[in-house]
Amino acid sequence: MTKLHLHLLSDSTGETLEMIAKAALSQFEGVDVERHFWPMVRSHQHLDRIMSEITQFPGLVIFTLVNQEIRVSLEAACAEAKMATVSALDAVTTCLSRVLGQEQLHRPGRQHQMDDAYFRRVEAIQFTIAHDDGLLWEEWEESDIILAGVSRTSKTPTAIYLANRGFRCANIPIVPQSPPPPALFRLKRPMVVGLTTSPDRLVQVRRNRLLSLNQAPETDYVQKDMVEDEVRYARRMFADNNWPVIDVTRRSIEETAAAVINLHNERRIERTGPKPV
């Protein structure tokens, strides 16, 4: 069994990288692959922070980087560490063949096999669905990530997206009239992330939601003053508990999830150091 550390580094969400890597790896047998996912790398500072762990686990770095200076820095750092790099637009399969010392098998469709990672994703999705909207808070300690935020800050779709990446997620609405259970503030294992957005955008989203349900859009739920109070209440809670905060106002679900994964990666490195080989 050949061990391969595969680093997927992108200045976006990394969706393209994952699909290309999965399809290419399906052409090789007897490979124990450990994926390291690094999305939204858009600055030299971010690259510098993650290079220490990347070089701890030499293997193959596949990347999509628009910024030429950051790409040059990545290639130079990897060359110094004697690590192979390839752009996702280059011949990924050819590079894997060289790194693994194998000829590709030319078998279509093998990326769809149900491996351990597949079943971990299924379990994560089941967990996430069961712990949506504040449910089963007694089991929150088993989560990897907990998303907190006022209503309509994309908690559920972001949690489901993260579950598809193998993260066990729970989410809870922050409502001033109904504070969260005290257990939320005693959690040790999960990372709690606060999601917020601009009150104006929130009013618009909520109003559209009510209209889609054929409900009158004239309630406290969409009153700007009330919404501003909700957002302030949530932000104060996030700050008081030192939880990281992501503003989802101009982010897609994929971009929000990528930001959460970055926070999770950095928290893991700070707490435990690089992953063991």
Side-chain angles (χ1 to χ4, degrees), residues 231-264:
V231 173
R232 279 194 294 268
Y233 175 82
R235 283 185 173 274
R236 187 163 54 248
M237 181 183 296
F238 302 156
D240 289 346
N241 290 278
N242 200 30
W243 295 334
V245 179
I246 298 174
D247 190 328
V248 304
T249 305
R250 294 179 177 84
R251 294 180 189 259
S252 65
I253 299 301
E254 295 83 359
E255 289 172 329
T256 300
V260 173
I261 292 172
N262 270 334
L263 290 170
H264 190 270

Side-chain angles (χ1 to χ4, degrees), residues 6-25 35-41 61-65 74 86-90 92 96 165:
L6 183 64
H7 298 272
L8 304 177
L9 191 149
S10 173
D11 55 11
S12 186
T13 62
E15 286 291 296
T16 300
L17 277 176
E18 289 218 316
M19 290 188 291
I20 291 175
K22 185 175 182 180
L25 283 166
R35 292 173 175 81
H36 306 261
F37 185 56
W38 309 102
M40 306 299 285
V41 180
V61 177
I62 305 177
F63 65 88
T64 52
L65 292 172
L74 171 67
V86 59
S87 168
L89 300 180
D90 298 335
V92 177
L96 279 169
R165 308 297 281 271

Side-chain angles (χ1 to χ4, degrees), residues 135-149:
L135 295 175
L136 300 178
W137 59 265
E138 302 90 342
E139 300 173 358
W140 280 351
E141 192 64 43
E142 301 173 25
S143 307
D144 299 310
I145 297 165
I146 294 179
L147 303 179

Side-chain angles (χ1 to χ4, degrees), residues 58-116:
L60 175 62
V61 177
I62 305 177
F63 65 88
T64 52
L65 292 172
V66 174
N67 187 298
Q68 189 65 23
E69 293 181 357
I70 297 177
R71 172 174 176 159
V72 169
S73 296
L74 171 67
E75 291 175 329
C78 290
E80 183 176 350
K82 297 182 171 56
M83 293 178 62
T85 61
V86 59
S87 168
L89 300 180
D90 298 335
V92 177
T93 306
T94 300
C95 192
L96 279 169
S97 179
R98 175 172 58 82
V99 171
L100 298 174
Q102 296 184 24
E103 293 295 327
Q104 58 176 301
L105 298 175
H106 300 287
R107 294 181 186 173
R110 294 189 73 240
Q111 67 267 33
H112 301 297
Q113 65 187 11
M114 292 187 292
D115 54 11
D116 289 343

Side-chain angles (χ1 to χ4, degrees), residues 120-163:
R120 284 196 298 271
R121 287 195 299 274
V122 170
E123 194 278 333
I125 292 170
Q126 291 174 338
F127 181 93
T128 299
I129 292 173
H131 296 79
D132 183 42
D133 205 32
L135 295 175
L136 300 178
W137 59 265
E138 302 90 342
E139 300 173 358
W140 280 351
E141 192 64 43
E142 301 173 25
S143 307
D144 299 310
I145 297 165
I146 294 179
L147 303 179
V150 301
S151 175
R152 314 315 296 178
T153 48
S154 302
K155 297 183 298 298
T156 295
T158 303
I160 295 297
Y161 186 95
L162 288 166

Side-chain angles (χ1 to χ4, degrees), residues 216-234:
E218 301 302 331
T219 68
D220 288 348
Y221 186 64
V222 294
Q223 292 302 314
K224 186 174 180 181
D225 290 347
M226 300 294 292
V227 172
E228 289 176 343
D229 287 344
E230 278 187 67
V231 173
R232 279 194 294 268
Y233 175 82

